[in-house]
Each structure stands twice: as structure tokens, then as C-alpha cells.
Amino acid sequence: QVQLVESGGGLVQAGGSLRLSCAASGRAFSTYAMAWFRQAPGKEREFVAAINLGIRTYTADSVKGRFTISRDNAKNTVYLQMNSLKPEDTAIYHCAANRWYTDSTEFRDYNYWGQGTQVTVSS
């Protein structure tokens, strides 16, 4: 089992940057695929980025070229670097983990979730 805690959210102007972190507790962090999803008010949860057990990453078209996911297994942490932020990136960002579907971009395949961190981008 793994517990996830996100940090790094906040208020930023359009064009700015933020780096989200997700710290995982529990064992065997390196055996979990990790992902970021986001949910804006009145909208469905949306895939943002994922990283498998190695270095392969997946990124949603809406953030491609602006957001980068990475992981540091020594620190049990996954990151989301967000550049060139837009007002439409405003949402609660959730970190997620799963041990079985290591290349999934589907939220239903992830069984561990953090509480989320708010990102607000002003125009």
C-alpha cells in the first residue's frame, strides 16, 4: 500500500510556472506507475501525465510541450513541472499510483490517490 501527498500548487499568472511534487510513503515506490490527473469545477477528471516503472512518459495533448512528469525513486517522489501555464490549466491536481497497469492513462486503473493540490492560473 502507498500513501500520496501532493504539494506545490498555488496561484500563478498566465505564462508562469509551477512544480508539483507528490511524496509517497510505503514500500516499493519504484514498482508503482505514477500519474497526474486534474479536475476543474464542473468538469470530469482529466489525465495529465504518467510515468511507468522506467523512464517512459505519457502526456495529454492539451499539455504536451508545456508539462513534464518525472520521478525520483530514491526520494519516493514524482514531479510535474508545469510551464507556460494557461487559465484553462486551473484545477485540482491529483497524484495517483498503481502497480498493475504500468502504462495506463486511465484513471480507473489507478487505485491510490492523493488529496490533491489546487492550481489557479490568472489571466
Side-chain angles (χ1 to χ4, degrees), residues 39-57:
Q39 189 163 18
K43 294 188 177 181
E44 294 185 352
R45 188 165 11 185
E46 175 187 24
F47 167 75
V48 177
I51 185 166
N52 70 2
L53 306 187
I55 60 172
R56 184 163 187 175
T57 62

Side-chain angles (χ1 to χ4, degrees), residues 13-29:
Q13 288 188 333
S17 298
L18 284 174
R19 188 175 82 154
L20 305 184
S21 299
C22 173
S25 61
R27 297 181 178 180
F29 172 75

Side-chain angles (χ1 to χ4, degrees), residues 24-96:
S25 61
R27 297 181 178 180
F29 172 75
S30 62
T31 67
Y32 288 85
M34 303 298 297
W36 290 94
F37 292 82
R38 67 186 182 186
Q39 189 163 18
K43 294 188 177 181
E44 294 185 352
R45 188 165 11 185
E46 175 187 24
F47 167 75
V48 177
I51 185 166
N52 70 2
L53 306 187
I55 60 172
R56 184 163 187 175
T57 62
Y58 304 84
T59 309
D61 288 343
S62 59
V63 305
K64 197 161 292 183
R66 300 188 297 122
F67 290 13
T68 303
I69 188 171
S70 62
R71 68 189 298 161
D72 185 339
N73 290 339
K75 296 183 178 180
N76 281 14
T77 301
V78 64
Y79 304 98
L80 184 68
Q81 178 66 45
M82 305 187 296
N83 299 328
S84 302
L85 282 160
K86 304 175 181 180
E88 51 263 43
D89 295 319
T90 296
I92 298 175
Y93 284 70
H94 294 271
C95 175

